[in-house]
Amino acid sequence: MAEVRIHHSWKNRLEAEFSQNYFEDLIGFVKEEYSKTTIFPPAKLIFNAFDRCPFESIKCVIIGQDPYHGPGQANGLCFSVADGVPHPPSLQNIFKELKEDVGCDIPTSGNLESWADQGVLLLNATLTVRARRPGSHQNKGWENFTDAVIRELSQGKSNLVFILWGAYAQRKGEMIDQKKHFVIQSPHPSPFSAARGFFGSKPFSQANHYLMSIGSDPIDWDLTRSG
């Protein structure tokens, strides 16, 4: 397995979690999976969301479920795909809402790294998956780890924006202190649910209005400027 990268600010915050028995078991399972079959994202990108987004810089958190399970798609950021990869249906709908909400043109690339670089933590609840086997690494320990991440964010920071799309993310968000943070909830952008309230929910402008209201810089959601 390739060397995994994670920003030192997260290493320090999550050090106690890394020494838990469940996490040691999880890492043993993940290493074995990478050694015997095709797993996404590439091993060096498992913690990409944390590596690109230091704890101190986080303004906004978007919670997903699993990495994409198709070849070349997952890059360690929820809903994001590598450059040159066709946009999956949920991402297509995110971009439709983005255009309707704040007027951004739909980008050629579905790579959301420029959001992460501005302090948007794009967090999947489960950080790895077998090729073409959605949900295959659920209930192995990743959910415990990402619960700990959400608790750390809720307790250790104030005035974050949490964007929770769909029932799964909303259940995951139950540990967020809504007195300290701004929570935006809507149906999931999946084609199965987007028309039931995701479209028209304006999460991007809501997030920026809140950030500006607390004196923080808004997020430039326009991916066509990210090169």
Side-chain angles (χ1 to χ4, degrees):
M1 218 171 112
E3 183 183 356
V4 170
R5 296 194 300 266
I6 182 169
H7 192 270
H8 64 83
S9 63
W10 281 107
K11 281 184 182 176
N12 297 338
R13 291 263 173 183
L14 297 171
E15 189 173 8
E17 211 63 28
F18 293 143
S19 63
Q20 297 283 332
N21 289 337
Y22 88 83
F23 193 83
E24 293 177 6
D25 292 344
L26 168 64
I27 294 306
F29 165 77
V30 168
K31 284 181 176 177
E32 183 179 358
E33 286 283 279
Y34 274 96
S35 73
K36 69 183 185 184
T37 189
T38 302
I39 304 297
F40 298 123
K44 66 181 182 179
L45 297 178
I46 292 173
F47 291 101
N48 193 27
F50 302 92
D51 195 48
R52 295 196 79 98
C53 213
F55 186 87
E56 293 76 15
S57 73
I58 293 171
K59 301 177 180 179
C60 177
V61 183
I62 299 177
I63 299 175
Q65 191 163 351
D66 273 337
Y68 294 122
H69 54 88
Q73 291 180 310
N75 67 351
L77 310 175
C78 74
F79 296 107
S80 177
V81 291
D83 291 324
V85 174
H87 302 171
S90 290
L91 187 58
Q92 291 177 30
N93 287 337
I94 288 169
F95 288 157
K96 287 177 186 176
E97 177 62 17
L98 181 65
K99 183 171 185 177
E100 188 67 27
D101 183 8
V102 294
C104 297
D105 288 336
I106 292 174
T108 304
S109 174
N111 194 331
L112 306 182
E113 287 178 346
S114 76
W115 292 0
D117 293 342
Q118 295 178 75
V120 182
L121 182 68
L122 296 160
L123 177 67
N124 274 316
T126 302
L127 300 189
T128 54
V129 69
R130 275 194 183 196
R132 300 183 179 86
R133 291 269 310 274
S136 52
H137 283 189
Q138 290 178 4
N139 302 314
K140 302 295 184 183
W142 280 130
E143 295 89 347
N144 292 8
F145 174 72
T146 50
D147 279 353
V149 169
I150 294 169
R151 281 195 299 270
E152 186 68 27
L153 287 164
S154 181
Q155 294 167 11
K157 294 185 75 77
S158 298
N159 302 315
L160 294 179
V161 177
F162 285 89
I163 298 178
L164 309 178
W165 289 327
Y168 184 90
Q170 287 157 23
R171 286 195 301 272
K172 191 85 175 162
E174 287 174 0
M175 63 201 77
I176 299 164
D177 183 349
Q178 297 199 26
K179 295 175 183 172
K180 290 175 65 182
H181 305 287
F182 182 59
V183 177
I184 299 168
Q185 302 188 79
S186 80
H188 196 275
S190 155
F192 301 108
S193 55
R196 298 203 299 265
F198 172 75
F199 290 136
S201 62
K202 301 188 180 301
F204 307 103
S205 60
Q206 281 196 70
N208 277 351
H209 289 155
Y210 176 76
L211 290 170
M212 289 186 289
S213 79
I214 60 167
S216 186
D217 290 334
I219 294 155
D220 182 1
W221 297 107
D222 190 346
L223 292 160
T224 66
R225 291 199 283 263
S226 61

